[in-house]
Amino acid sequence: MSANQSPAVKAPLRVGVLGFGGLGQAASRVLAPKGEMRWVAVADRHGYAYDRNGLDADRCIATYVDRGSVGHLDTHGVLSDESIGDLLDRAPDVDGYFLALPNLPNTFMASVARQFIESGWKGVLVDALKRTSAVEQLLDLQNELQEAGITYMSGCGATPGLLTAAAALAAQSYAEIHRVEITFGVGIANWESYRATIREDIAHMPGYDVDKARAMTDAEVEALLDRTNGILKLENMEHADDIMLERAGIVSRDRVTVGGIVDTRNPKKPLSTNVRVTGRTFEGKMSSHTFTLGDETSMAANVCGPAFGYLKAGIALHRRGIHGLFTAAEVMPQFVR
Amino acid sequence: MSANQSPAVKAPLRVGVLGFGGLGQAASRVLAPKGEMRWVAVADRHGYAYDRNGLDADRCIATYVDRGSVGHLDTHGVLSDESIGDLLDRAPDVDGYFLALPNLPNTFMASVARQFIESGWKGVLVDALKRTSAVEQLLDLQNELQEAGITYMSGCGATPGLLTAAAALAAQSYAEIHRVEITFGVGIANWESYRATIREDIAHMPGYDVDKARAMTDAEVEALLDRTNGILKLENMEHADDIMLERAGIVSRDRVTVGGIVDTRNPKKPLSTNVRVTGRTFEGKMSSHTFTLGDETSMAANVCGPAFGYLKAGIALHRRGIHGLFTAAEVMPQFVR
């Protein structure tokens, strides 16, 4: 399972990216300098592109931004309203996909997984899902994925993902885990550039929900932010870290909390994103281990890096005949050079 | 690989501990409350004890402390100068062992591994080795371990071990790792209770080596500590974190440093033990992630917890027919309830 035992003789892993919004585009840039992975396939809502010699991130991004779909790419692009299915027919030899799709509605990722199962394709899928209910739908597909010969890695972004895995590691020092607290910090200079995101955040605040937040006028948002000095404090967010740590046998889901602080008036993060694991050691001491992300690291780096690390680990499992569903808390990601 | 998919039907894993000094005794206390593992075997220099219904930590520790060997234990103890070999003959059905042996001389752990290979026993071995050169000897046995049907997990204590794994995780956010710095803090009230340990620490200081430190009189140690206000600063220690992270393809070994600060006049730790991973993201930003251990956690908790977590993960690998050598940087430990 080691990365560098015989690097010279290994062909690069052929990987695809489904979805080509901000996250998918970042994924293509993360892949560009890698020798161990070759980006050969991409699909968006209106088309796909496939080149077994490797796609060019700059060209794909420019085509998507200018014309709305990678399907417009010269030579390798194909326009299609059934882009995922058509890509699977065209490119059976892709080792694994990063599903960088927006999970809207909340059942979308599970329906994509079903499409892979039905297609007969065998390989590795990785998602960076956030919500507990979305990961639960994948857990329900566990047996079908296994029978189909698919190794599916769920919740493998930043949180859930990197921070969940760090919590699973930190738990090792303790006889009993009392709580796992994930806290993220976000700083933005001006909320008006992020009208939709800020309303999504407000939806997580006490007394609000998605509909209520979406219905707010800009003046109402402005008034709320004036009352809080521009700070949004988010608590008890529905994040799949809880079910992932419970499934790994570490702690029951009600002991896992996810929250954050968004400063809408300052690009500096109000706090460093971290996970804190509190427990009791075998000698009876209470303590906490903490894993903290560097403030300079972006969401894109903290999501895409782990996603491809889990994709590589998933391909190693797949090649050993290990199929089914795994989460970030159960498998060590492998570093992709 | 999940811990809790069908907990009710699983028999406890039968585990053994080799070596019954401070670390082995702590291991027996860590195991005592676990439902998923049953401690059935132990060996020290002069004997062994085996009970397939489970050994009692308090009784074994009392016997060892009072009489010098667990071989003196009523009913289940056997005195032997070939305690490991005799135990292996007597107890072929142990799933895995934690090798809590002092690695003196530096080739001892590899010779124990060879003894397991030659005995024909198949199962999982876990060590908490520290020195690079000791782990290298195990790496040399990789093929033999694989052919023997043994899954060997090396460097699975605190550091290397927990902190190495945290470094492997933290690396995921970065395109390129520049350095990994492991720093530990130790506080002791009075150096005279730790005469041997303090000389071992001094051996790591610039201008000293093992022989020179061992030859120092107490007055010379005292004089050195007076010059440093009781603080020992250890740098560039030989720790296998370097070779483990290199083998996992993350960073070349010369970019990994291990050091620490020992305060010999204050039981409070002078700093919290941590690992800091510095790298460059795909966007070109430099940053560092940090994993920090709670000050209240002991060396015993941070070594034995991970060791059994890796033992459980190793048994899952072994049951899937995956044998050979792995390190803490390559496998996610599993939480043992």
Side-chain angles (χ1 to χ4, degrees), chain A residues 38-103:
Chain A
R38 180 180 293 160
W39 180 45
V40 297
V42 59
D44 59 42
R45 201 182 298 257
H46 304 297
Y48 69 89
Y50 170 67
D51 182 353
R52 53 177 303 139
N53 296 316
L55 293 165
D56 182 86
D58 289 337
R59 279 186 60 217
C60 288
I61 293 170
T63 303
Y64 182 88
V65 170
D66 291 349
R67 306 186 61 192
S69 172
V70 293
H72 288 288
L73 204 71
D74 292 345
T75 330
H76 300 289
V78 177
L79 291 168
S80 160
D81 288 332
E82 301 286 343
S83 60
I84 296 177
D86 288 352
L87 173 60
L88 284 179
D89 288 344
R90 171 79 179 282
D93 61 347
V94 175
D95 294 301
Y97 285 93
F98 173 35
L99 309 180
L101 299 158
N103 191 37

Side-chain angles (χ1 to χ4, degrees), chain A residues 245-259:
Chain A
L245 291 169
E246 182 174 277
R247 178 180 140 98
I250 293 166
V251 65
S252 70
R253 69 179 80 180
D254 57 303
R255 302 293 187 95
V256 181
T257 57
V258 179

